[in-house]
Amino acid sequence: MSWRFLLQQLHHKLQVWEKVAKKLQVVATSKTKGRDFKDDIVERIPEDPVDKLPSVPIIIGQKTIFDQVWGCLKEEHKVGIIGLYGNGGVGKTTILTQINNKLSDEL
């Protein structure tokens, strides 16, 4: 790695830390004045993280697979990535569409 690259990375991190320090100062000031600090620090409200997709009803045999995959994605397992594999036409996309839509309903 070049020194220039390292200096650029360091400069970027310093900019982020300066922004964080300013936000913390706003929070501290708001709290001492008895104001709700959320309005002072929230920059934008994020859009919905998941768009609902058109789907077909899940097939009874796929319900078990759906439940297993959904169980892995629950917070107690803390799984962030899963892999579904199989021959074409077995319903991988259908299951993932159902999972996407369930996430959309819960968020």
Side-chain angles (χ1 to χ4, degrees), residues 7 23 33 41:
L7 287 174
K23 294 288 183 179
K33 292 181 179 178
I41 62 168

Side-chain angles (χ1 to χ4, degrees), residues 5-21:
F5 175 77
L6 292 173
L7 287 174
Q8 288 174 340
Q9 292 294 314
L10 181 60
H11 179 69
H12 175 71
K13 288 181 181 184
L14 283 173
Q15 288 177 326
V16 170
W17 279 108
E18 286 174 351
K19 189 174 180 180
V20 169

Side-chain angles (χ1 to χ4, degrees), residues 67-87:
D67 291 339
Q68 289 174 342
V69 172
W70 186 252
C72 289
L73 294 174
K74 287 185 179 177
E75 286 196 28
E76 65 245 16
H77 294 306
K78 296 185 180 180
V79 172
I81 298 175
I82 59 165
L84 289 180
Y85 60 93
N87 294 332

Side-chain angles (χ1 to χ4, degrees), residues 30-60:
S30 295
K31 287 179 90 174
T32 58
K33 292 181 179 178
R35 291 189 355 229
D36 185 18
F37 62 87
K38 293 178 196 129
D39 296 333
D40 296 327
I41 62 168
V42 174
E43 293 179 4
R44 67 178 178 85
I45 298 174
E47 297 177 15
D48 290 336
V50 179
D51 292 329
K52 204 162 195 173
L53 300 172
S55 64
V56 296
I58 198 159
I59 299 169
I60 293 172

